[in-house]
Amino acid sequence: MNFILRGVRVIDPLARLDAHGQDVWIDSGRIVAIYHHIDEGSVPVVDLTPAPGAEECVLCPGFIDLHTHLREPGDEEAETVKSGARAAAAGGFTSIVAMANTRPPIDTPERVADAYADGRNAASPRLVVQALQRAAKGGRPVMIHPEDEEAIAQINDATGSVVRCVERPPQVETRAVDVAIRALAHARTGRLHLQHLSTARSVEMVRRAVEQGLEVTAEVTPHHLAMWLPVEAPPEPVSLLKVNPPLRTDADRAALVHALRDGTIDAMATDHAPHRAEEKSRDYANAAPGMIGLETALATCLTLGGMGGEWIPTLVERMTAGPHRVLGAAIGIPTPRLHIGEMATAALFDPDAEWTVDAESLRSRSHNTPLLGARLKGRVLLTLSEGRVVHADAARIPVAAGEVAHA
Ligand code: DOR
Protein backbone atom coordinates (compact mmCIF):
# COMPACT_ATOMS: atom_id res chain seq x y z
CA MET A 1 0.00 0.00 0.00
CA ASN A 2 1.58 3.21 -1.14
CA PHE A 3 -0.51 6.13 -2.41
CA ILE A 4 -1.11 9.84 -2.20
CA LEU A 5 -4.58 11.24 -1.48
CA ARG A 6 -4.71 14.54 -3.36
CA GLY A 7 -6.73 17.61 -2.46
CA VAL A 8 -8.30 16.62 0.86
CA ARG A 9 -9.24 18.54 3.99
CA VAL A 10 -7.38 17.21 7.01
CA ILE A 11 -9.20 17.60 10.34
CA ASP A 12 -7.49 16.50 13.56
CA PRO A 13 -9.43 18.01 16.49
CA LEU A 14 -6.88 17.26 19.23
CA ALA A 15 -4.13 18.92 17.17
CA ARG A 16 -6.50 21.82 16.37
CA LEU A 17 -5.77 21.14 12.73
CA ASP A 18 -8.24 21.93 9.95
CA ALA A 19 -6.24 22.26 6.74
CA HIS A 20 -7.80 22.52 3.30
CA GLY A 21 -6.29 21.33 0.00
CA GLN A 22 -3.79 18.88 1.44
CA ASP A 23 -2.01 15.91 -0.09
CA VAL A 24 -1.62 12.93 2.23
CA TRP A 25 0.98 10.26 1.50
CA ILE A 26 0.29 6.87 3.06
CA ASP A 27 2.91 4.14 2.69
CA SER A 28 2.49 0.66 4.22
CA GLY A 29 -0.22 2.02 6.50
CA ARG A 30 1.91 4.85 7.80
CA ILE A 31 1.21 8.55 7.28
CA VAL A 32 4.44 9.66 5.63
CA ALA A 33 3.56 13.27 4.90
CA ILE A 34 0.74 15.82 4.91
CA TYR A 35 1.56 18.81 2.72
CA HIS A 36 -0.17 21.14 0.27
CA HIS A 37 1.45 19.34 -2.66
CA ILE A 38 3.28 16.05 -2.81
CA ASP A 39 4.72 14.52 -6.00
CA GLU A 40 6.64 11.31 -5.64
CA GLY A 41 7.06 10.13 -9.21
CA SER A 42 5.96 6.54 -9.17
CA VAL A 43 3.61 6.73 -6.16
CA PRO A 44 0.01 6.50 -7.41
CA VAL A 45 -2.14 9.56 -6.79
CA VAL A 46 -5.84 9.38 -5.90
CA ASP A 47 -7.07 12.78 -6.99
CA LEU A 48 -9.95 13.85 -4.73
CA THR A 49 -9.81 17.54 -5.63
CA PRO A 50 -13.47 18.65 -5.50
CA ALA A 51 -15.35 20.20 -8.40
CA PRO A 52 -15.84 23.96 -7.97
CA GLY A 53 -18.40 24.61 -5.24
CA ALA A 54 -18.31 21.05 -3.90
CA GLU A 55 -17.14 20.07 -0.40
CA GLU A 56 -13.68 18.60 -0.06
CA CYS A 57 -13.19 15.03 1.09
CA VAL A 58 -12.21 14.93 4.76
CA LEU A 59 -9.46 12.83 6.30
CA CYS A 60 -9.77 12.60 10.09
CA PRO A 61 -9.00 10.17 12.92
CA GLY A 62 -11.18 7.04 12.91
CA PHE A 63 -14.56 7.47 14.59
CA ILE A 64 -15.23 6.12 18.10
CA ASP A 65 -18.70 4.80 18.95
CA LEU A 66 -19.52 4.75 22.65
CA HIS A 67 -22.75 2.81 22.17
CA THR A 68 -22.99 -0.26 19.93
CA HIS A 69 -25.19 -3.29 20.48
CA LEU A 70 -23.71 -6.48 19.12
CA ARG A 71 -25.80 -9.57 19.70
CA GLU A 72 -23.09 -12.10 20.48
CA PRO A 73 -23.65 -14.16 22.58
CA GLY A 74 -27.32 -15.02 22.17
CA ASP A 75 -28.64 -13.63 18.90
CA GLU A 76 -25.94 -14.06 16.30
CA GLU A 77 -28.55 -14.01 13.55
CA ALA A 78 -29.10 -10.31 14.31
CA GLU A 79 -25.41 -9.38 14.63
CA THR A 80 -22.06 -10.93 15.48
CA VAL A 81 -18.93 -9.21 16.67
CA LYS A 82 -17.57 -9.72 13.16
CA SER A 83 -20.55 -8.38 11.21
CA GLY A 84 -20.82 -5.45 13.62
CA ALA A 85 -17.12 -4.72 13.17
CA ARG A 86 -17.52 -4.78 9.38
CA ALA A 87 -20.46 -2.39 9.59
CA ALA A 88 -18.42 -0.15 11.88
CA ALA A 89 -15.49 -0.06 9.45
CA ALA A 90 -17.84 0.80 6.58
CA GLY A 91 -19.13 3.68 8.70
CA GLY A 92 -15.65 5.03 9.43
CA PHE A 93 -15.52 3.71 13.02
CA THR A 94 -12.26 2.23 14.26
CA SER A 95 -13.30 1.72 17.92
CA ILE A 96 -16.71 0.64 19.16
CA VAL A 97 -17.91 0.06 22.71
CA ALA A 98 -20.19 -2.98 22.89
CA MET A 99 -23.05 -2.73 25.35
CA ALA A 100 -23.61 -5.59 27.80
CA ASN A 101 -27.32 -6.25 27.21
CA THR A 102 -26.82 -9.50 25.34
CA ARG A 103 -28.62 -12.69 26.36
CA PRO A 104 -26.91 -13.96 28.44
CA PRO A 105 -25.62 -10.56 29.56
CA ILE A 106 -21.90 -9.90 29.40
CA ASP A 107 -21.64 -9.46 33.16
CA THR A 108 -18.76 -11.64 34.31
CA PRO A 109 -15.06 -11.48 33.47
CA GLU A 110 -15.45 -14.87 31.76
CA ARG A 111 -18.24 -13.62 29.51
CA VAL A 112 -16.30 -10.47 28.70
CA ALA A 113 -13.39 -12.69 27.75
CA ASP A 114 -15.69 -14.89 25.62
CA ALA A 115 -17.35 -12.01 23.84
CA TYR A 116 -14.19 -10.03 23.63
CA ALA A 117 -15.03 -7.81 21.63
CA ASP A 118 -27.33 -0.94 28.56
CA GLY A 119 -30.20 -1.09 27.15
CA ARG A 120 -31.48 -1.03 30.71
CA ASN A 121 -31.60 1.34 33.61
CA ALA A 122 -32.30 -0.58 36.74
CA ALA A 123 -30.00 1.44 38.91
CA SER A 124 -31.19 2.72 42.26
CA PRO A 125 -29.72 6.03 43.43
CA ARG A 126 -27.69 4.17 46.07
CA LEU A 127 -26.25 1.82 43.48
CA VAL A 128 -25.31 4.73 41.22
CA VAL A 129 -23.48 6.42 44.11
CA GLN A 130 -21.56 3.21 44.84
CA ALA A 131 -20.78 2.66 41.18
CA LEU A 132 -19.51 6.22 40.81
CA GLN A 133 -17.25 5.87 43.82
CA ARG A 134 -15.84 2.55 42.66
CA ALA A 135 -15.41 3.58 39.05
CA ALA A 136 -13.65 6.76 40.12
CA LYS A 137 -10.84 4.64 41.54
CA GLY A 138 -10.18 3.28 38.05
CA GLY A 139 -10.65 6.68 36.41
CA ARG A 140 -13.77 5.44 34.63
CA PRO A 141 -17.15 7.05 34.12
CA VAL A 142 -20.41 5.35 34.98
CA MET A 143 -22.53 5.20 31.84
CA ILE A 144 -26.24 5.43 32.51
CA HIS A 145 -29.14 4.63 30.19
CA PRO A 146 -31.49 7.19 31.71
CA GLU A 147 -34.99 5.73 31.63
CA ASP A 148 -36.92 5.28 34.88
CA GLU A 149 -38.09 1.69 34.53
CA GLU A 150 -40.46 1.72 37.49
CA ALA A 151 -42.27 4.69 36.01
CA ILE A 152 -42.43 2.97 32.62
CA ALA A 153 -43.87 -0.17 34.22
CA GLN A 154 -46.54 1.88 36.00
CA ILE A 155 -47.52 3.96 32.98
CA ASN A 156 -47.77 0.89 30.76
CA ASP A 157 -49.33 -1.32 33.41
CA ALA A 158 -46.54 -3.82 32.80
CA THR A 159 -45.53 -6.57 35.16
CA GLY A 160 -42.65 -8.09 33.23
CA SER A 161 -39.89 -6.59 31.09
CA VAL A 162 -40.29 -2.92 30.24
CA VAL A 163 -37.99 -3.01 27.20
CA ARG A 164 -40.82 -3.15 24.62
CA CYS A 165 -43.29 -0.91 26.43
CA VAL A 166 -44.37 1.89 24.09
CA GLU A 167 -45.36 4.70 26.48
CA ARG A 168 -42.13 6.40 27.57
CA PRO A 169 -42.96 10.09 28.07
CA PRO A 170 -40.14 12.63 28.46
CA GLN A 171 -40.40 12.59 32.27
CA VAL A 172 -39.19 8.98 32.46
CA GLU A 173 -35.93 10.22 31.00
CA THR A 174 -35.65 13.50 32.87
CA ARG A 175 -36.39 11.79 36.17
CA ALA A 176 -33.60 9.30 35.59
CA VAL A 177 -31.25 12.10 34.52
CA ASP A 178 -32.12 13.99 37.70
CA VAL A 179 -31.52 10.94 39.91
CA ALA A 180 -28.16 10.25 38.25
CA ILE A 181 -26.98 13.85 38.57
CA ARG A 182 -28.05 13.97 42.22
CA ALA A 183 -26.18 10.73 42.82
CA LEU A 184 -23.08 12.28 41.31
CA ALA A 185 -23.37 15.32 43.57
CA HIS A 186 -23.87 13.02 46.54
CA ALA A 187 -20.92 10.75 45.64
CA ARG A 188 -18.57 13.75 45.67
CA THR A 189 -16.37 11.92 43.19
CA GLY A 190 -16.60 10.12 39.87
CA ARG A 191 -17.76 10.91 36.40
CA LEU A 192 -21.22 10.39 35.01
CA HIS A 193 -21.96 9.73 31.34
CA LEU A 194 -25.58 9.99 30.19
CA GLN A 195 -26.44 7.91 27.16
CA HIS A 196 -28.68 8.78 24.23
CA LEU A 197 -30.41 11.92 25.53
CA SER A 198 -33.66 12.60 23.74
CA THR A 199 -35.31 15.63 25.37
CA ALA A 200 -34.65 19.37 25.54
CA ARG A 201 -35.18 19.25 29.30
CA SER A 202 -32.40 16.66 29.76
CA VAL A 203 -30.03 18.91 27.83
CA GLU A 204 -30.88 21.78 30.18
CA MET A 205 -30.22 19.62 33.23
CA VAL A 206 -26.82 18.56 31.89
CA ARG A 207 -25.96 22.16 31.08
CA ARG A 208 -26.79 23.23 34.61
CA ALA A 209 -24.87 20.34 36.20
CA VAL A 210 -21.77 21.17 34.17
CA GLU A 211 -22.08 24.83 35.17
CA GLN A 212 -22.13 23.68 38.78
CA GLY A 213 -18.81 21.93 38.24
CA LEU A 214 -20.10 18.36 38.15
CA GLU A 215 -18.32 15.94 35.84
CA VAL A 216 -21.17 15.00 33.55
CA THR A 217 -20.85 14.07 29.89
CA ALA A 218 -23.57 13.09 27.45
CA GLU A 219 -24.18 11.55 24.05
CA VAL A 220 -26.86 11.79 21.37
CA THR A 221 -27.77 9.37 18.58
CA PRO A 222 -27.98 10.18 14.88
CA HIS A 223 -31.69 9.32 14.89
CA HIS A 224 -32.52 11.71 17.73
CA LEU A 225 -30.66 14.45 15.84
CA ALA A 226 -32.47 13.72 12.60
CA MET A 227 -35.98 12.42 13.27
CA TRP A 228 -39.04 13.44 15.23
CA LEU A 229 -42.68 12.43 15.58
CA PRO A 230 -45.10 12.51 13.95
CA VAL A 231 -43.49 11.55 10.64
CA GLU A 232 -45.08 12.56 7.36
CA ALA A 233 -44.49 9.26 5.57
CA PRO A 234 -44.10 6.40 8.05
CA PRO A 235 -41.87 3.51 6.98
CA GLU A 236 -43.14 0.00 6.40
CA PRO A 237 -43.28 -1.67 8.90
CA VAL A 238 -43.95 1.34 11.09
CA SER A 239 -42.15 -0.29 14.02
CA LEU A 240 -38.88 0.62 12.28
CA LEU A 241 -39.48 3.91 14.12
CA LYS A 242 -39.73 2.22 17.51
CA VAL A 243 -36.67 2.97 19.60
CA ASN A 244 -35.72 3.56 23.23
CA PRO A 245 -35.78 6.37 24.15
CA PRO A 246 -38.50 7.22 21.61
CA LEU A 247 -38.22 9.85 18.91
CA ARG A 248 -39.59 13.07 20.41
CA THR A 249 -40.74 16.42 19.01
CA ASP A 250 -39.00 18.65 16.49
CA ALA A 251 -38.28 21.10 19.34
CA ASP A 252 -36.46 18.37 21.29
CA ARG A 253 -34.54 17.46 18.15
CA ALA A 254 -33.50 21.09 17.63
CA ALA A 255 -32.31 21.35 21.25
CA LEU A 256 -30.19 18.22 20.82
CA VAL A 257 -28.60 19.59 17.63
CA HIS A 258 -27.87 22.84 19.43
CA ALA A 259 -26.34 20.99 22.38
CA LEU A 260 -24.11 18.85 20.17
CA ARG A 261 -22.95 21.98 18.36
CA ASP A 262 -22.14 23.94 21.52
CA GLY A 263 -20.51 20.99 23.29
CA THR A 264 -23.07 20.47 26.05
CA ILE A 265 -23.35 17.04 24.46
CA ASP A 266 -19.85 15.66 24.06
CA ALA A 267 -20.35 12.78 21.67
CA MET A 268 -22.44 11.38 18.88
CA ALA A 269 -23.05 7.70 19.64
CA THR A 270 -25.00 5.40 17.34
CA ASP A 271 -26.95 3.10 19.71
CA HIS A 272 -26.66 0.68 16.79
CA ALA A 273 -29.38 -1.83 17.76
CA PRO A 274 -29.69 -4.65 15.23
CA HIS A 275 -32.83 -6.79 15.26
CA ARG A 276 -33.99 -9.67 13.09
CA ALA A 277 -36.69 -8.75 10.54
CA GLU A 278 -39.16 -10.95 12.40
CA GLU A 279 -38.71 -8.81 15.54
CA LYS A 280 -39.56 -5.65 13.65
CA SER A 281 -42.49 -6.95 11.60
CA ARG A 282 -44.62 -7.59 14.69
CA ASP A 283 -47.28 -5.08 15.68
CA TYR A 284 -45.87 -1.89 17.19
CA ALA A 285 -46.55 -2.81 20.83
CA ASN A 286 -44.65 -6.07 20.58
CA ALA A 287 -41.88 -5.10 18.18
CA ALA A 288 -38.31 -4.81 19.46
CA PRO A 289 -37.03 -1.24 19.96
CA GLY A 290 -33.95 0.07 18.20
CA MET A 291 -32.41 0.83 14.83
CA ILE A 292 -29.07 0.11 13.25
CA GLY A 293 -26.78 3.09 12.85
CA LEU A 294 -23.11 2.32 12.28
CA GLU A 295 -23.22 2.58 8.49
CA THR A 296 -25.60 5.51 8.30
CA ALA A 297 -24.43 7.62 11.27
CA LEU A 298 -22.16 10.04 9.44
CA ALA A 299 -24.54 10.62 6.53
CA THR A 300 -27.54 10.96 8.84
CA CYS A 301 -25.79 13.65 10.90
CA LEU A 302 -24.58 15.47 7.79
CA THR A 303 -27.81 15.30 5.78
CA LEU A 304 -30.62 15.38 8.34
CA GLY A 305 -29.01 16.02 11.72
CA GLY A 306 -27.91 19.63 11.35
CA MET A 307 -24.20 18.83 11.35
CA GLY A 308 -23.29 19.38 7.67
CA GLY A 309 -21.61 22.37 6.03
CA GLU A 310 -19.89 24.65 8.53
CA TRP A 311 -20.51 22.09 11.31
CA ILE A 312 -18.37 19.35 9.76
CA PRO A 313 -15.32 20.04 12.01
CA THR A 314 -17.57 20.03 15.09
CA LEU A 315 -19.14 16.74 14.02
CA VAL A 316 -15.68 15.23 13.53
CA GLU A 317 -14.75 16.36 17.05
CA ARG A 318 -17.90 14.79 18.50
CA MET A 319 -17.14 11.49 16.73
CA THR A 320 -13.44 11.33 17.70
CA ALA A 321 -11.98 13.49 20.47
CA GLY A 322 -15.36 13.86 22.25
CA PRO A 323 -16.03 10.16 22.80
CA HIS A 324 -12.37 9.61 23.58
CA ARG A 325 -12.60 12.21 26.35
CA VAL A 326 -15.61 10.37 27.79
CA LEU A 327 -14.18 6.88 27.91
CA GLY A 328 -11.14 6.49 25.71
CA ALA A 329 -8.15 6.90 27.93
CA ALA A 330 -9.76 4.94 30.77
CA ILE A 331 -10.22 1.79 28.68
CA GLY A 332 -7.29 2.12 26.32
CA ILE A 333 -8.94 3.34 23.13
CA PRO A 334 -6.04 4.82 21.12
CA THR A 335 -5.93 8.62 21.09
CA PRO A 336 -7.65 9.83 17.90
CA ARG A 337 -4.97 11.65 15.93
CA LEU A 338 -3.16 11.86 12.61
CA HIS A 339 0.54 11.91 13.34
CA ILE A 340 3.25 11.85 10.71
CA GLY A 341 5.24 8.64 10.96
CA GLU A 342 2.49 6.72 12.79
CA MET A 343 0.33 3.88 11.52
CA ALA A 344 -2.92 5.50 10.40
CA THR A 345 -6.18 4.99 12.29
CA ALA A 346 -8.32 7.20 10.15
CA ALA A 347 -11.48 7.75 8.15
CA LEU A 348 -11.76 9.44 4.78
CA PHE A 349 -15.20 10.66 3.76
CA ASP A 350 -16.82 12.63 0.99
CA PRO A 351 -19.47 14.92 2.54
CA ASP A 352 -21.05 15.53 -0.87
CA ALA A 353 -21.29 11.95 -2.17
CA GLU A 354 -24.93 10.86 -2.42
CA TRP A 355 -26.08 7.32 -1.89
CA THR A 356 -29.22 5.34 -1.26
CA VAL A 357 -29.52 3.27 1.91
CA ASP A 358 -30.38 -0.21 0.67
CA ALA A 359 -30.52 -3.47 2.57
CA GLU A 360 -28.30 -5.41 0.14
CA SER A 361 -25.28 -3.21 0.59
CA LEU A 362 -25.41 -3.01 4.42
CA ARG A 363 -22.71 -5.05 6.18
CA SER A 364 -24.78 -5.37 9.32
CA ARG A 365 -26.70 -8.65 9.54
CA SER A 366 -29.82 -6.67 10.38
CA HIS A 367 -31.48 -4.03 8.24
CA ASN A 368 -33.80 -2.35 10.73
CA THR A 369 -33.61 1.31 9.88
CA PRO A 370 -36.38 3.69 8.81
CA LEU A 371 -33.81 5.15 6.42
CA LEU A 372 -34.07 2.24 3.95
CA GLY A 373 -34.54 3.84 0.54
CA ALA A 374 -33.43 7.30 1.73
CA ARG A 375 -30.97 9.36 -0.32
CA LEU A 376 -28.26 10.65 1.99
CA LYS A 377 -25.14 12.73 1.48
CA GLY A 378 -21.85 11.71 3.02
CA ARG A 379 -19.98 8.55 2.19
CA VAL A 380 -17.02 6.90 3.88
CA LEU A 381 -14.42 6.13 1.22
CA LEU A 382 -11.63 4.61 3.27
CA THR A 383 -11.11 3.39 6.83
CA LEU A 384 -7.70 2.52 8.20
CA SER A 385 -7.14 0.84 11.55
CA GLU A 386 -3.57 0.81 12.84
CA GLY A 387 -2.36 0.94 9.27
CA ARG A 388 -4.66 -1.78 7.90
CA VAL A 389 -7.31 -1.02 5.31
CA VAL A 390 -10.57 -2.22 6.92
CA HIS A 391 -12.88 -0.55 4.41
CA ALA A 392 -12.34 0.95 0.97
CA ASP A 393 -14.72 2.22 -1.70
CA ALA A 394 -13.41 0.34 -4.74
CA ALA A 395 -14.66 2.93 -7.23
CA ARG A 396 -13.10 5.94 -5.51
CA ILE A 397 -9.98 4.48 -3.83
CA PRO A 398 -8.98 1.58 -6.11
CA VAL A 399 -5.38 1.52 -4.83
CA ALA A 400 -6.60 0.51 -1.37
CA ALA A 401 -9.59 -1.63 -2.31
CA GLY A 402 -7.49 -4.72 -2.95
CA GLU A 403 -6.12 -4.67 0.56
CA VAL A 404 -9.21 -4.74 2.74
CA ALA A 405 -8.45 -6.81 5.84
CA HIS A 406 -10.94 -8.08 8.39
CA ALA A 407 -12.30 -5.22 10.45
O1 DOR B 1 -33.94 1.08 21.19
C1 DOR B 1 -33.05 0.58 21.85
N1 DOR B 1 -32.62 -0.67 21.60
N2 DOR B 1 -32.50 1.28 22.84
C2 DOR B 1 -31.61 0.74 23.69
O2 DOR B 1 -31.10 1.42 24.52
C3 DOR B 1 -31.30 -0.71 23.60
C4 DOR B 1 -31.44 -1.17 22.22
C5 DOR B 1 -31.35 -2.65 22.03
O3 DOR B 1 -30.50 -3.30 22.67
O4 DOR B 1 -32.07 -3.18 21.19
Side-chain angles (χ1 to χ4, degrees):
M1 175 211 310
N2 190 9
F3 55 87
I4 293 166
L5 301 172
R6 171 146 300 157
V8 302
R9 178 178 184 182
V10 180
I11 301 180
D12 181 348
L14 287 179
R16 298 185 184 283
L17 175 73
D18 182 359
H20 294 264
Q22 301 294 299
D23 287 2
V24 180
W25 182 7
I26 297 172
D27 186 2
S28 309
R30 223 172 271 284
I31 305 175
V32 178
I34 302 176
Y35 197 56
H36 63 85
H37 189 81
I38 305 173
D39 243 330
E40 269 306 311
S42 59
V43 180
V45 170
V46 183
D47 195 351
L48 296 167
T49 308
E55 293 271 11
E56 290 168 291
C57 290
V58 173
L59 182 77
C60 61
F63 303 141
I64 299 168
D65 188 20
L66 292 175
H67 199 145
T68 308
H69 294 276
L70 304 172
R71 302 301 191 196
E72 192 175 341
D75 193 5
E76 289 81 354
E77 206 184 314
E79 199 78 287
T80 61
V81 172
K82 201 168 177 175
S83 64
R86 287 214 178 107
F93 293 91
T94 51
S95 294
I96 56 178
V97 180
M99 296 295 107
N101 68 334
T102 49
R103 270 189 241 165
I106 305 175
D107 60 355
T108 64
E110 292 72 28
R111 284 188 183 147
V112 171
D114 281 349
Y116 201 68
D118 158 14
R120 302 293 303 277
N121 173 19
S124 69
R126 226 158 52 112
L127 192 61
V128 179
V129 171
Q130 278 177 12
L132 283 160
Q133 288 169 340
R134 269 202 216 167
K137 293 193 180 125
R140 291 167 190 226
V142 171
M143 302 171 83
I144 297 269
H145 168 126
E147 285 196 295
D148 180 337
E149 295 200 341
E150 266 178 42
I152 296 171
Q154 269 176 24
I155 295 164
N156 290 271
D157 216 359
T159 45
S161 167
V162 298
V163 171
R164 296 186 186 215
C165 289
V166 173
E167 294 306 323
R168 314 173 94 88
Q171 310 85 272
V172 306
E173 175 173 300
T174 50
R175 255 174 67 175
V177 167
D178 185 48
V179 165
I181 291 176
R182 280 171 195 271
L184 178 65
H186 188 77
R188 295 175 175 276
T189 182
R191 289 194 290 130
L192 172 69
H193 178 69
L194 295 166
Q195 298 182 296
H196 49 47
L197 295 187
S198 68
T199 75
R201 177 94 186 93
S202 302
V203 167
E204 270 323 301
M205 293 162 86
V206 170
R207 197 169 273 138
R208 208 162 341 117
V210 171
E211 276 165 15
Q212 287 166 3
L214 292 172
E215 291 220 46
V216 184
T217 55
E219 67 185 42
V220 63
T221 70
H223 43 277
H224 290 104
L225 290 173
M227 303 174 200
W228 67 94
L229 295 178
V231 292
E232 261 174 46
E236 186 21 57
V238 69
S239 55
L240 287 174
L241 290 172
K242 183 174 176 180
V243 65
N244 295 343
L247 301 175
R248 307 277 184 200
T249 66
D250 193 21
D252 288 307
R253 185 195 72 84
L256 293 166
V257 172
H258 190 261
L260 189 65
R261 288 177 177 179
D262 79 8
T264 304
I265 296 180
D266 307 75
M268 195 285 291
T270 66
D271 196 7
H272 177 82
H275 289 289
R276 282 171 280 127
E278 178 260 296
E279 291 282 2
K280 277 295 190 183
S281 50
R282 299 175 185 200
D283 61 296
Y284 201 88
N286 292 305
M291 39 184 102
I292 56 168
L294 288 167
E295 294 170 81
T296 49
L298 175 75
T300 303
C301 293
L302 289 172
T303 315
L304 309 166
M307 298 305 289
E310 62 177 307
W311 295 103
I312 288 175
T314 307
L315 178 63
V316 168
E317 202 278 342
R318 307 290 186 259
M319 293 178 76
T320 57
H324 189 263
R325 206 166 44 242
V326 172
L327 193 61
I331 64 161
I333 295 174
T335 304
R337 63 185 192 187
L338 301 171
H339 274 204
I340 308 292
E342 285 187 3
M343 286 297 192
T345 295
L348 172 74
F349 65 91
D350 182 346
D352 266 358
E354 272 194 54
W355 58 290
T356 303
V357 184
D358 73 294
E360 290 75 58
S361 54
L362 291 171
R363 274 81 171 171
S364 174
R365 285 201 172 177
S366 296
H367 304 144
N368 53 300
T369 166
L371 293 169
L372 284 179
R375 289 287 290 167
L376 298 178
K377 265 186 169 188
R379 190 106 180 116
V380 176
L381 305 182
L382 177 68
T383 310
L384 295 161
S385 175
E386 291 171 1
R388 290 176 322 139
V389 179
V390 288
H391 168 76
D393 183 321
R396 301 283 300 274
I397 319 285
V399 287
E403 311 202 21
V404 178
H406 283 314

